[in-house]
Amino acid sequence: MTHLAVGVLERFFYGRAAVRVLLTTSPADAPEVTLWRSGVAVYNLLLGLGLVAGVVALRVGEPTAGRTLILYLCACLIASSLTFAASFPRLWRGALGQGLPPALVLPAAAVL
């Protein structure tokens, strides 16, 4: 759900200073990154929708497809959060928000 929320904020509400502070810790706008920001927003939306699709697949009786989607996307999110944290240490809270939930899902999925 975090990726869906962040994707919507990046794509549709980045023009608001409060959203920029939440996402980057700075109220400054950087028009030169609009193309990059739009791509990242779509990436976040697709990751979030993929996780939702995995849960739906589980609910409708497709456990292999559902588990595969969820585990793969969780692994991608963890790898992405580690890269984000290493690249932008001052934004560690964002990396933690991105990586902690899927990191909790993987051990739970191993038990279930």
Side-chain angles (χ1 to χ4, degrees):
M1 297 315 275
T2 301
H3 279 78
L4 291 175
V6 169
V8 168
L9 289 173
E10 288 170 334
R11 184 69 184 105
F12 301 108
F13 299 101
Y14 191 77
R16 298 179 182 180
V19 171
R20 290 191 301 271
V21 168
L22 176 69
L23 297 175
T24 67
T25 71
S26 170
D29 188 12
E32 63 274 8
V33 299
T34 298
L35 181 61
W36 165 84
R37 180 181 42 79
S38 294
V40 170
V42 171
Y43 155 85
N44 281 324
L45 289 168
L46 292 174
L47 285 171
L49 290 172
L51 289 169
V52 169
V55 171
V56 169
L58 286 175
R59 294 285 185 187
V60 300
E62 295 293 337
T64 301
R67 286 175 63 85
T68 301
L69 267 172
I70 291 168
L71 294 176
Y72 175 75
L73 290 170
C74 283
C76 288
L77 291 170
I78 292 166
S80 179
S81 71
L82 293 172
T83 302
F84 185 57
S87 301
F88 304 99
R90 71 181 179 90
L91 299 176
W92 66 270
R93 287 180 189 91
L96 187 64
Q98 178 181 358
L100 184 60
L104 296 174
V105 167
L106 289 181
V111 177
L112 299 174

